[in-house]
């Protein structure tokens, strides 16, 4: 927590690259800033209602790409064939560029932390989410310290 003071007895349990998302034994914090926007959200562990990995993609783009590719391969006219194959390739690229994933941690008060997970492996993301759940259950006394 480079820019943030810890509370008495608070310890950092886990953090993301550049300390944007931080889990302590008391709370989960998001502190991110970009040009023209910033987010600083802190949710106490006893207020965490849910957490998860949310992914979005548009598989319809791949289906259309497959159709264009299949039609393109069967065409006799080279211009038409290459045009359809280029369209198919562009659609595949758009599919991969528009995929997104975020860590979402919701509080029972309505606040929500959403943090992009670019560069994090699925295993690291799930490890962070499991650590949030474990810390929450320890904090509220459902599992032993």
């Amino acid at each position: 927590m480079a820019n943030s003071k810890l509370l008495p007895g608070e310890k950092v349990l886990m953090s993301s690259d550049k300390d944007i998302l931080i889990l302590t034994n008391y709370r989960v914090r998001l502190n991110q800033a970009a040009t023209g926007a910033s987010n600083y959200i802190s949710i106490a562990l006893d207020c965490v209602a849910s957490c998860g990995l949310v992914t979005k993609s548009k598989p319809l783009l791949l289906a259309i790409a497959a159709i264009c590719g299949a039609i393109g391969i069967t065409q006799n006219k080279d211009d038409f064939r290459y045009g359809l194959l280029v369209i198919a390739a562009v659609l595949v690229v758009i599919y991969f560029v528009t995929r997104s994933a975020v860590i979402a941690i919701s509080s029972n008060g309505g606040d929500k932390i959403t943090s992009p997970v670019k560069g994090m492996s699925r295993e690291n993301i799930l490890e962070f989410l499991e650590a949030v759940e474990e810390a929450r259950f320890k904090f509220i006394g459902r599992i032993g310290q």
Side-chain angles (χ1 to χ4, degrees):
M1 283 194 183
N3 298 332
S4 208
K5 186 177 174 185
L6 293 173
L7 299 171
E10 188 174 24
K11 298 177 285 191
V12 174
L13 303 176
M14 190 174 254
S15 65
S16 66
D17 294 343
K18 302 177 186 175
D19 290 339
I20 292 171
L21 190 59
I22 298 169
L23 170 65
T24 74
N25 56 326
Y26 292 160
R27 56 194 165 174
V28 182
R29 278 204 171 157
L30 173 72
N31 187 10
Q32 68 184 131
T35 306
S38 67
N39 281 324
Y40 181 83
I41 300 170
S42 179
I43 299 176
L45 287 176
D46 62 337
C47 292
V48 171
S50 66
C51 60
L53 171 62
V54 180
T55 60
K56 293 181 182 177
S57 66
K58 297 176 174 68
L60 182 61
L61 292 172
L62 291 179
I64 295 170
I67 292 168
C68 288
I71 293 172
I73 290 172
T74 62
Q75 295 303 307
N76 291 332
K77 292 185 178 182
D78 285 341
D79 290 344
F80 194 58
R81 173 186 301 158
Y82 295 132
L84 284 172
L85 293 176
V86 167
I87 290 171
V90 168
L91 289 172
V92 169
V93 169
I94 291 172
Y95 169 80
F96 284 106
V97 169
T98 59
R99 288 188 317 166
S100 66
V102 295
I103 289 176
I105 302 170
S106 299
S107 76
N108 54 14
D111 284 335
K112 187 175 192 177
I113 290 176
T114 54
S115 178
V117 294
K118 288 213 184 272
M120 290 178 71
S121 70
R122 182 174 173 82
E123 293 78 29
N124 288 344
I125 296 164
L126 295 179
E127 181 182 343
F128 187 89
L129 294 173
E130 288 169 358
V132 169
E133 290 174 331
E134 181 180 348
R136 179 181 185 273
F137 289 131
K138 282 182 181 177
F139 187 80
I140 63 175
R142 292 246 176 117
I143 58 176
Q145 301 292 331

